Amino acid sequence: MTSDITTLIKHLRCPALTSDDDIAPYLTDASQAASGHPLAVFLPRTTADVSTILRFASTHQLPVSVRGAGTGLAGGAAAYEGGLVISTEAMTELSIDADARLADVQPGVLTATLDAAAQAQGLFFAPDPASAATSTVGGNIATNAGGLRCLAHGVTADSVAALEVVLASGEVIQTGARTIKNVAGLNLTPLFVGSEGTLGVITRATVRLKPLPEGTPYTFAAYYDSLEDAGAAVLALTNSGLNLESLELIDRTIVQLINKHHGAGLTAPGAGLLMGLCTGTSAQTDAARAASMCAKQGASSTETTEGLTLMEARRLVFSSIYPEGFTVLGDAGVPVPQLPHFIRRIQEISKATSRPVLITAHAGDGNLHPSVYAGAHGEETEAAEAVLAQISAATLELGGTVTGEHGIGSAKLHALEEQLTPATLAAGRAIKAALDPAGILTPGRGI
């Protein structure tokens, strides 16, 4: 096999890494999930490169992991023992068609880079994960990432018009179209969005852009002595008709840790800080109305501010809590009316297990990230994962999902079988078998 790999590397025009030192950064993702030692890591620049690699992997029955920037939190990009790694980081072509409000982009382009290029032409790319500065467009598509602007603009799938995908066989297909309307054939585009590299490798995407809103953005903050009360306020706000682009919730401890690690100077709430972003010409008025509603919904105090500073502080959550040992991260989604009940259940589970759990939430769409303490050096990870399993069970009892945006990967495969029926699982795996009969693409993960 070593000689075959050497021949493949000579045939390709893209970089290939084989030494232990060179491949070390490509072994796992931000979840630090267990990984194996791959035969090689490839950094293709073209669709043809990816096609050649996958034909080789299929012929030799080698498992393939696919990664962008490695910011995933579910273990979906961890390398396989004796397998291959395809990193799309070198695939960074980007062009904007402002008239059509579209961008054509390779998967290695950073989310923030695409957004900045769009904004330079009076447009923006709506998907906005907290990791936008470091995550790639391809990774966002592969996991159907959400983020801070989902409340107003939906998830990544809502912004994807067309895809170019290399199947396990090396065959290249195109899905979707650049048109607004398109009903030619089966709608395969959303099948690949969120498929976590299990069905094919995305090598190019056409994504939809939106006009930048007019006016100055305004944020509002509401400080609560009860997280349940904050959850109830979320329901009132989402039903209010106000022009809210984002609605986020972080608990008191997280606020304190953001201040500790980043000197943000945030006012610590009694229990939770609910913050929202309003855009458009009515942003200032909407923010004021939202703050007033929060006061009626039990907030101890409120404030409004011009600009995005408060929402930028929200992006500092994970870099603030990880150093403190809160490294077992959940990604549950519940119907918004269930948000107060879910918060209460998390608090009950934390108390019953004597295990600290922090709460961060894309509150406006009911997506919570409970973060469980796993010890200063991860020595209590098993106990923390047992707590997260209880939280996942509570999610399903409330009609929710075990992952809202991070994906299943390897970390949540067991939870998938708790959420989906055997017949539903079988249907998904039948599609996998049809597109990847040898099972080389991200085996044992995602589905």
Side-chain angles (χ1 to χ4, degrees), residues 24 351 374 378:
K351 182 178 180 180

Side-chain angles (χ1 to χ4, degrees), residues 11-373:
H11 179 72
L12 290 168
R13 295 182 178 180
C14 68
L17 312 175
T18 56
S19 73
D20 289 350
D21 288 343
D22 287 342
I23 69 174
Y26 299 89
L27 295 182
T28 190
D29 56 19
S31 71
Q32 295 302 302
S35 67
H37 191 281
L39 297 174
V41 175
F42 294 95
L43 283 69
R45 295 189 178 95
T46 68
T47 300
D49 287 339
V50 175
S51 178
T52 298
I53 296 165
L54 289 185
R55 283 200 305 271
F56 178 90
S58 184
T59 298
H60 294 276
Q61 301 289 284
L62 297 176
V64 178
S65 60
V66 188
R67 61 185 289 119
T71 60
L73 292 163
Y80 293 95
E81 183 68 28
L84 305 179
V85 175
I86 294 178
S87 171
T88 62
E89 65 185 83
M91 304 182 76
T92 57
E93 292 179 3
L94 164 65
S95 63
I96 305 292
D97 182 346
D99 289 337
R101 295 181 185 172
L102 296 172
D104 292 293
V105 57
Q106 284 188 307
V109 173
L110 296 180
T111 312
T113 299
L114 169 56
D115 192 36
Q119 290 198 31
Q121 300 199 41
L123 304 167
F124 74 102
F125 181 55
D128 185 37
S131 61
T134 54
S135 64
T136 63
V137 175
N140 292 341
I141 294 173
T143 58
N144 195 17
L148 277 64
R149 295 198 285 232
C150 284
L151 178 61
H153 304 291
V155 294
T156 297
D158 299 305
S159 293
V160 178
L163 294 173
E164 178 183 78
V165 183
V166 183
L167 302 180
S169 63
E171 187 176 8
V172 181
I173 67 169
Q174 287 78 33
T175 75
R178 298 175 65 83
T179 55
I180 295 173
K181 296 178 180 179
N182 172 39
V183 291
L186 295 177
N187 188 6
L188 296 179
T189 303
L191 178 65
F192 288 97
V193 178
S195 63
E196 302 184 47
T198 61
L199 303 181
V201 178
I202 295 165
T203 53
R204 189 172 295 274
T206 299
V207 297
R208 303 192 189 282
L209 307 174
K210 294 189 174 185
L212 281 170
E214 297 180 11
T216 302
Y218 273 79
T219 54
F220 65 90
Y223 301 85
Y224 282 89
D225 296 328
S226 161
L227 285 175
E228 280 190 69
D229 288 346
V234 169
L235 182 58
L237 288 166
T238 55
N239 288 331
S240 67
L242 296 176
N243 186 23
L244 302 175
E245 184 168 270
S246 303
L247 189 56
E248 302 286 313
L249 174 65
I250 54 178
D251 69 24
R252 174 184 173 85
T253 301
I254 292 176
V255 172
Q256 293 172 326
L257 292 178
I258 291 174
N259 288 339
K260 173 183 174 180
H261 287 276
H262 297 282
L266 299 175
T267 300
L273 169 59
L274 182 63
M275 62 184 81
L277 172 65
C278 299
T279 58
T281 55
S282 63
Q284 185 173 12
T285 300
D286 285 342
R289 289 178 58 194
S292 177
M293 288 184 64
C294 289
K296 294 177 182 178
Q297 291 288 328
S300 58
S301 63
T302 62
E303 60 186 55
T304 61
T305 308
E306 181 178 323
L308 301 171
T309 303
L310 190 60
M311 301 309 293
E312 291 304 318
R314 161 64 182 83
R315 298 181 188 277
L316 303 175
V317 168
F318 298 124
S319 62
S320 301
I321 66 175
Y322 268 44
E324 302 291 333
F326 290 89
T327 56
V328 173
L329 181 67
D331 175 36
V334 295
V336 175
Q338 297 290 354
L339 192 59
H341 309 294
F342 189 38
I343 289 172
R344 183 174 67 252
R345 288 289 291 120
I346 293 173
Q347 293 174 323
E348 290 171 350
I349 291 169
S350 176
K351 182 178 180 180
T353 59
S354 299
R355 177 68 48 175
V357 180
L358 304 184
I359 292 178
T360 309
H362 301 303
D365 53 57
N367 184 199
L368 275 75
H369 299 309
S371 304
V372 189
Y373 182 72

Side-chain angles (χ1 to χ4, degrees), residues 389 392-393 396 402 413-420:
S392 293
L396 298 179
V402 296
L413 200 60
H414 64 284
L416 187 66
E417 297 188 355
E418 297 169 4
Q419 179 171 334
L420 303 182

